[in-house]
Amino acid sequence: MKKATVQTYMPVLSKVIESTEKMGEQLNPFFEKLRKAIDDDAVAAMVPAEFNDIQMEFSDGTEQYQQNLNQLKRAQVPVRLMGRHRNLVTAYEAYAKACAAMTASLDIENQKVDVAAFNQAEKDQEEQMAHVSGDVQRIMNMVM
């Protein structure tokens, strides 16, 4: 087995972070629209196709985050970054689960949102993304 190096690890990490940021930017308008509908108690008044589109976008995002997590889990990690990488994987996994929980809070058939679950998922996503960012920053500092 080839020894893991920073040169083989960093492109994987960069790709995952780039993918995560891009997906977040793509999903944000859908999230904002749904957040406003929830806050205005207007979810039931949304156009059904629009509500369905939001759920589909969230599902696609959740799938992408799961793929990113799998890439992180398969990455060959240099020994000196192992601890930080494990922390990153744990935080990213919790982030992906929070995204899945948000998606699951949408009831397409009845065009409803489990608001408590949605709000908890939003809180968990923010919390875990802060951990992910911190872990990535620490890894970058160790590499520089």
Side-chain angles (χ1 to χ4, degrees), residues 27-92:
L27 291 175
N28 194 53
F30 295 98
F31 169 79
E32 293 295 334
K33 193 177 285 185
L34 185 57
R35 177 83 260 170
K36 181 167 176 26
I38 290 169
D39 293 344
D40 295 346
D41 198 21
V43 173
M46 290 177 81
V47 176
E50 186 177 40
F51 187 77
N52 197 35
D53 285 349
I54 290 171
Q55 193 274 341
M56 287 175 62
E57 289 291 332
F58 280 14
S59 290
D60 290 349
T62 299
E63 199 173 298
Q64 181 62 55
Y65 295 139
Q66 193 59 51
Q67 288 173 10
N68 291 346
L69 175 62
N70 291 339
Q71 284 183 336
L72 284 176
K73 285 181 173 180
R74 286 193 311 266
Q76 291 188 334
V77 185
V79 174
R80 69 185 176 114
L81 301 178
M82 198 66 81
R84 290 285 175 213
H85 179 76
R86 277 197 201 107
N87 291 346
L88 171 62
V89 168
T90 300
Y92 202 97

Side-chain angles (χ1 to χ4, degrees), residues 2-15 75-82 85 138-144:
K2 215 167 72 177
K3 188 177 176 200
T5 65
V6 170
Q7 289 76 17
T8 58
Y9 174 70
M10 290 311 289
V12 173
L13 181 60
S14 295
K15 185 177 174 188
Q76 291 188 334
V77 185
V79 174
R80 69 185 176 114
L81 301 178
M82 198 66 81
H85 179 76
R138 287 190 216 38
I139 288 170
M140 295 297 197
N141 289 342
M142 289 175 77
V143 170
M144 298 300 161

Side-chain angles (χ1 to χ4, degrees), residues 61-142:
T62 299
E63 199 173 298
Q64 181 62 55
Y65 295 139
Q66 193 59 51
Q67 288 173 10
N68 291 346
L69 175 62
N70 291 339
Q71 284 183 336
L72 284 176
K73 285 181 173 180
R74 286 193 311 266
Q76 291 188 334
V77 185
V79 174
R80 69 185 176 114
L81 301 178
M82 198 66 81
R84 290 285 175 213
H85 179 76
R86 277 197 201 107
N87 291 346
L88 171 62
V89 168
T90 300
Y92 202 97
E93 188 164 25
Y95 176 74
K97 281 181 181 166
C99 293
M102 181 174 281
T103 302
S105 75
L106 307 184
D107 176 356
I108 291 298
E109 264 180 46
N110 301 305
Q111 194 162 321
K112 290 182 181 173
V113 176
D114 178 339
V115 177
F118 185 91
N119 290 341
Q120 185 61 53
E122 180 182 9
K123 182 176 171 276
D124 292 346
Q125 284 177 32
E126 288 173 6
E127 203 174 283
Q128 294 309 319
M129 189 43 70
H131 288 299
V132 167
S133 297
D135 291 329
V136 168
Q137 193 60 52
R138 287 190 216 38
I139 288 170
M140 295 297 197
N141 289 342
M142 289 175 77

